[in-house]
Amino acid sequence: MVKRIVAVVAVTAAVTLLTGCGGGRQDTPTADAGGEVTCEVKQDTRIGIATGNATGVYFALGNAYAEQISAATGGTVKATAAETGASVQNIQQVVGGTYQVGFSLADSAADAVAGKGSFTTAQPIRALARLYDNYTQVIVRTDAGINSLADLRGKRVSTGSPKSGTEVIAQRVLQAAGLNPDSDVSAQRLDLTKTVDGLKDGSIDAMFWSGGLPTPGITDLFTTAKDKVRFLDITGVLPKLKEINPVYEAGSIPAATYGLSADAPTIVVPNLLVVREDLDANLACVLTETLLDRKPQLEQANPAAKGINADTASKTAPVQLHRGSEAALR
């Protein structure tokens, strides 16, 4: 009986190793072996893409990108996108091998390579490309008496999902405004769906969100809540943010994006696609080529993809481009 149980366990373990959710073989990417970059992946390879909240742009584009990778390679590279907490968590899980590609805000990625902020040591990541810009969207209920960042003191504020790029920016903006994120506001670490619901029902007073335009969840908020919510101008703290990281820039959300009466000034930061530094260079090349070649299809998933272009794709400093991406962009 014992021998039979051991045999069953052994067979089960072997099947688990060889099969995935769809019953096919799980082929993980090989490590970069150096040498010439041919931009060809010849063996079946499966990769995971870490995105963000389900109603955010990362998730919409990540799923579209996964489909286009599979289509562009004739199924040789099969990609799957997953909902995550976003930037910081994505970097941690890419480094840990849970996913092979991750969306990240440039400031979080810069912290990762420097080993500061949310990272205690330098992380072994590279960039596939710079994507579009994220807009810091601070929205308040009109009945909450909030006319400036200082007015957030004592308020219920959603600072985004734990370990997200939104949370990083939210904490920095609050600190730049002279507020302690841990004690001066009632911080609610909520994903975008719960945050939007909270603003609608009045259980929170304000929210931070860093995302591309338009963000589906924010579109839903302004469509259903309308005059009950409005954007808060945070550009006054930009000089202090640039002291932390020069990637922060001034920008504005066009009125037409969410049916506003006027453009909303705010702070923007670029997005990157990141991978481990030792990812196979040919795979990195294919992923970068697909990103640019299939841009029209990505734009159909979300207009934010219009910000992806070959001219800016290599501008990922201080995160170094992966050598496979350098070959693709040449």
Side-chain angles (χ1 to χ4, degrees):
M1 178 64 72
V2 172
K3 290 181 179 179
R4 182 177 299 174
I5 292 173
V6 171
V8 170
V9 171
V11 170
T12 301
V15 171
T16 301
L17 287 171
L18 292 174
T19 61
C21 297
R25 182 177 174 183
Q26 289 283 9
D27 298 297
T28 56
T30 58
D32 190 14
E36 180 185 2
V37 181
T38 63
C39 216
E40 295 180 352
V41 177
K42 297 181 179 179
Q43 69 177 40
D44 288 345
T45 302
R46 296 196 179 203
I47 64 169
I49 302 173
T51 63
N53 292 171
T55 54
V57 177
Y58 281 179
F59 187 75
L61 286 185
N63 278 277
Y65 184 40
E67 292 177 3
Q68 295 309 315
I69 291 168
S70 299
T73 62
T76 300
V77 181
K78 290 183 174 64
T80 305
E83 181 183 4
T84 67
S87 298
V88 174
Q89 183 186 87
N90 288 355
I91 292 170
Q92 292 172 336
Q93 293 187 323
V94 164
V95 171
T98 304
Y99 301 102
Q100 286 67 50
V101 181
F103 284 76
S104 175
L105 283 167
D107 57 345
S108 294
D111 285 351
V113 296
K116 67 178 186 179
S118 301
F119 305 92
T120 55
T121 59
Q123 303 298 299
I125 61 169
R126 295 288 185 266
L128 287 183
R130 174 173 170 164
L131 304 174
Y132 56 92
D133 286 341
N134 256 22
Y135 291 72
T136 307
Q137 301 168 60
V138 183
I139 304 169
V140 301
R141 285 185 59 88
T142 53
D143 61 2
I146 302 171
N147 297 304
S148 68
L149 285 169
D151 293 334
L152 292 176
R153 188 182 300 273
K155 302 295 186 181
R156 299 163 298 179
V157 182
S158 175
T159 54
S161 298
K163 296 186 177 181
S164 66
T166 293
E167 184 175 56
V168 171
I169 289 181
Q171 291 179 342
R172 287 177 175 174
V173 168
L174 291 170
Q175 290 167 350
L179 298 173
N180 185 324
D182 298 322
S183 59
D184 290 336
V185 301
S186 177
Q188 314 292 307
R189 303 174 75 195
L190 305 174
D191 65 26
L192 184 57
T193 300
K194 292 178 181 177
T195 294
V196 168
D197 289 343
L199 270 185
K200 287 179 183 178
D201 64 27
S203 59
I204 62 173
D205 304 304
M207 65 166 284
F208 281 80
W209 171 252
S210 181
L213 300 179
T215 293
I218 304 300
T219 299
D220 171 55
L221 177 61
F222 277 97
T223 299
T224 56
K226 296 185 179 181
D227 295 336
K228 294 181 180 179
V229 294
R230 62 180 177 81
F231 279 103
L232 187 67
D233 186 351
I234 63 170
T235 53
V237 299
L238 180 57
K240 289 187 177 181
L241 290 183
K242 288 181 76 69
E243 291 177 5
I244 299 172
N245 197 315
V247 299
Y248 297 111
E249 298 289 346
S252 63
I253 300 169
T257 306
Y258 300 120
L260 309 175
S261 59
D263 293 353
T266 191
I267 294 169
V268 300
V269 59
N271 288 291
L272 306 178
L273 276 179
V274 300
V275 296
R276 277 184 60 98
E277 64 182 6
D278 61 357
L279 184 73
D280 175 56
N282 289 313
L283 177 58
C285 185
V286 167
L287 295 176
T288 307
E289 281 191 339
T290 302
L291 178 72
L292 297 173
D293 293 345
R294 301 290 177 126
K295 178 182 172 182
Q297 291 87 341
L298 298 181
E299 290 177 8
Q300 292 177 12
N302 191 284
K306 293 178 180 178
I308 302 170
N309 65 78
D311 293 333
T312 59
S314 62
K315 298 179 179 179
T316 62
V319 183
Q320 184 178 333
L321 268 180
H322 193 285
R323 76 183 193 96
S325 297
E326 290 177 346
L329 295 173
R330 281 198 299 270

